[in-house]
Amino acid sequence: MKANGLAVCVLLLAGGLAVGPCTAAAAPPPGRSPRPNFVFILGEGHGWSSTSIQMDDGVADSKSTYVRTPNFEKLAQSGMRFASFYAPSPRCTPSRAALLTGKSPAQLHITFVNEGKKDSSGSAYGKVLTPSSSTELATGETTIAEVLQRVGYVTAHFGKWHLGRTDPSQYGFDFSDGPTSNGGPDNVDNPHPKQLYGMTERGMDFMTRQVRAGRPFYLQLSHYAARQGGDALPETVAAVKKWGGQLGEREQADAAALLDLDLAFGLVLKKLEDLGIAGNTYVIFTTDHGTPGRNPPLAGGKGTVSEGGLRVPLVIRGPGVKPGACSQVRAVGADLFPTIAELARAGQPLPKGVEGGSLAPLLSGAGHRMVKRAREEYVVHFPHYDKDPIGPASAILLDDFKLIRVYETGARQLFNIATDPAERRDLAQQMPGKVKELDQRLTEYLAAMNAQMPQVNPSYSSGKAEPPQSTDRHASHDKKPDGHKAHKDRPRKKRSQ
């Protein structure tokens, strides 16, 4: 808790304890409208076409053929879709760190995850040794929650944290479920549906209390994985089975899990209406990476630098946003930090190193204006063995082209993702000049970020290798021994910009 001795509020709901300071909000200057509220819904592993939202007006199959998410459709109808939005990473922890800080995983040195359930297919027997990746967001980093706190916002994060074992209160969140990971507060294989509806209830209670107190708020609801029948209420599974059609067992499970997400989201939308603040609240929905496996019509999925691992939904609704708009301008996860800061009228320089640019001009310009960033290119640095058969790789996107650098073989792959989003036609041989240009830009970017790079494995020989001392850390902290059902405030640390 902050050193000035602010009062402590305790919220006990749905089996979770959230603790945080009741900060006083700064009143808006005379003649200025109240600061807007923010509700940020972060999905877990839902790809570009995972919901029933058509993400691109020009691509009919940019939505699911069997999932029904009517409340997310409602959000899209009243807000703006971004047809070309990219997650910061094809994995969870790096993306979450980048979304909170506006900095890339390469710059943060958070490029992978700790796994305790054999989710990674990586191996120290590969041709390259992968670099060590931090899985704990440094407390010296400035988060969007801290920026908002400084101008009077009350902040909350409920749901999956997955950024290490340090409590979210150390990163600017007044209320939270604690440093939860894949198992949730109860340390179970399937946190949903219990935690889905629990975090939703806690979030709605948080909103209600801030409205009554007249304080602007930032609420982030971060879902846990929900792609199986065990992640959905039995009633929801039964409802999906009554849809009929030719859905297989897996499709029914996916549809039920996503329908529960949609129903919970619908409760949030209704609460905003009931509280009378829907017109002054920005609602943001995106996900941390693509779905595991197939993400048609895109190639690849979670754990790959293919489009299916990176291109995900982004929908924003709020004051001044044109309903039903679809922006074709490329946007990236790091853009959300400066976007929220500008919309909140934070009125302060962004922290040093923020790589994203504000999407506010697009939101007010029907999605047609440009985004100003420090660099033109967008880079995903994923130097790890995971789910991609090409192994560790980095990708750079500039204009219509995407270059993939394969570290095991030294190969370069080139795609025109404007005409070939499925990445079927490698143009590297036909366009050596473009390959050289993008490869040089990628090298310069990684050097500027001081990115950690894979190294040749000296033990690898003719497909066989002695177990080397890989620098990849795969020790698990997915499950906490105490379950983290309750968390006390800790002294807040001073942070550098």
Side-chain angles (χ1 to χ4, degrees):
M1 186 169 62
K2 293 183 178 178
N4 60 7
L6 292 171
V8 174
C9 293
V10 179
L11 166 65
L12 182 59
L13 274 176
L17 183 69
V19 183
C22 293
T23 56
R32 296 200 69 178
S33 60
R35 296 184 189 275
N37 306 301
F38 296 90
V39 175
F40 182 13
I41 306 293
L42 180 60
E44 207 284 355
H46 303 300
W48 196 53
S49 59
S50 291
T51 73
S52 58
I53 301 171
Q54 183 170 328
M55 288 308 305
D56 190 330
D57 284 342
V59 182
D61 51 356
S62 60
K63 66 176 181 178
S64 174
T65 58
Y66 62 89
V67 166
R68 301 180 189 178
T69 50
N71 288 300
F72 284 110
E73 287 184 50
K74 179 181 177 181
L75 178 72
Q77 291 162 3
S78 57
M80 182 178 295
R81 292 159 291 146
F82 288 78
S84 187
F85 178 74
Y86 287 81
S89 168
R91 276 305 205 130
C92 171
T93 299
S95 280
R96 291 166 193 267
L99 290 169
L100 280 181
T101 63
K103 300 180 180 181
S104 69
Q107 182 184 169
L108 295 169
H109 291 180
I110 301 178
T111 50
F112 205 45
V113 294
N114 276 349
E115 292 293 354
K117 299 179 182 178
K118 299 182 179 179
D119 197 28
S120 172
S121 59
S123 171
Y125 297 87
K127 291 184 178 181
V128 298
L129 297 178
T130 56
S132 175
S133 171
S134 173
T135 54
E136 185 95 18
L137 181 62
T139 55
E141 294 292 344
T142 300
T143 69
I144 187 60
E146 292 173 297
V147 170
L148 296 179
Q149 275 187 333
R150 294 168 187 167
V151 292
Y153 278 78
V154 185
T155 57
H157 180 284
F158 299 121
K160 181 177 174 179
W161 178 246
H162 211 199
L163 285 169
R165 298 187 178 187
T166 303
D167 195 271
S169 64
Q170 301 296 292
Y171 302 96
F173 287 100
D174 298 318
F175 299 88
S176 79
D177 291 335
T180 58
S181 192
N182 288 332
D186 296 330
N187 194 26
V188 296
D189 286 337
N190 298 92
H192 286 188
K194 176 183 176 181
Q195 289 303 320
L196 170 63
Y197 288 99
M199 75 175 76
T200 300
E201 187 173 358
R202 293 190 288 277
M204 292 190 297
D205 183 84
F206 168 79
M207 293 192 298
T208 299
R209 290 183 292 112
Q210 307 323 313
V211 170
R212 289 174 179 169
R215 297 177 293 196
F217 64 80
Y218 173 89
L219 168 64
Q220 182 168 330
L221 298 176
S222 297
H223 295 159
Y224 296 91
R227 289 177 291 274
Q228 306 171 23
D231 298 324
L233 292 172
E235 301 92 320
T236 310
V237 175
V240 169
K241 289 181 178 179
K242 292 179 181 178
W243 289 355
Q246 302 298 317
L247 294 185
E249 185 175 344
R250 179 174 178 177
E251 291 174 328
Q252 288 181 354
D254 288 345
L258 278 157
L259 181 57
D260 255 347
L261 296 179
D262 186 79
L263 293 172
F265 179 58
L267 295 175
V268 174
L269 293 181
K270 184 177 185 303
K271 177 58 72 171
L272 292 173
E273 295 287 349
D274 292 345
L275 292 172
I277 58 172
N280 192 41
T281 301
Y282 287 96
V283 180
I284 303 169
F285 166 64
T286 190
T287 70
D288 54 356
H289 53 70
T291 301
R294 298 179 65 251
N295 285 264
L298 307 176
K302 172 185 176 181
T304 78
V305 296
S306 298
E307 290 292 284
L310 300 172
R311 197 186 299 195
V312 295
L314 173 64
V315 184
I316 301 178
R317 184 189 85 175
V321 180
K322 182 179 178 181
C326 181
S327 176
Q328 298 291 334
V329 176
R330 181 174 298 136
V332 301
D335 293 337
L336 294 181
F337 183 111
T339 300
I340 294 170
E342 180 172 349
L343 294 175
R345 306 194 299 271
Q348 54 190 288
L350 294 176
K352 182 180 179 181
V354 168
E355 297 176 56
S358 175
L359 303 178
L362 275 73
L363 295 173
S364 62
H368 301 305
R369 297 175 183 170
M370 299 306 296
V371 182
K372 295 181 180 179
R373 305 184 186 92
R375 306 181 74 101
E376 292 181 284
E377 67 272 9
Y378 165 59
V379 172
V380 175
H381 185 50
F382 194 59
H384 302 282
Y385 289 100
D386 198 20
K387 302 179 183 303
D388 198 325
I390 67 174
S394 295
I396 179 171
L397 289 82
L398 182 65
D399 300 326
D400 292 341
F401 290 95
K402 176 179 181 180
L403 177 87
I404 297 176
R405 177 188 290 177
V406 184
Y407 289 107
E408 273 205 343
T409 64
R412 306 298 194 264
Q413 301 173 353
L414 181 68
F415 303 98
N416 184 326
I417 55 174
T419 59
D420 180 28
E423 297 169 286
R424 293 191 178 101
R425 297 181 294 278
D426 186 350
L427 304 174
Q429 295 298 321
Q430 294 108 292
M431 305 181 68
K434 180 60 68 174
V435 170
K436 182 178 180 180
E437 173 197 351
L438 293 181
D439 196 53
Q440 180 61 34
R441 278 181 175 260
L442 176 58
T443 296
E444 292 172 356
Y445 173 86
L446 294 174
M449 295 299 111
N450 191 29
Q452 297 170 297
M453 304 298 293
Q455 303 296 323
V456 173
N457 181 358
S459 299
Y460 186 88
S461 177
S462 300
K464 296 181 180 180
E466 294 299 321
Q469 297 299 311
S470 172
T471 53
D472 251 332
R473 305 185 315 176
H474 294 136
S476 171
H477 69 261
D478 277 358
K479 294 188 175 184
K480 311 291 191 298
D482 60 0
H484 285 280
K485 293 185 179 180
H487 303 272
K488 296 181 179 180
D489 280 347
R490 302 172 184 173
R492 295 181 57 79
K493 301 178 181 180
K494 293 183 180 180
R495 294 169 179 74
S496 61
Q497 289 295 311

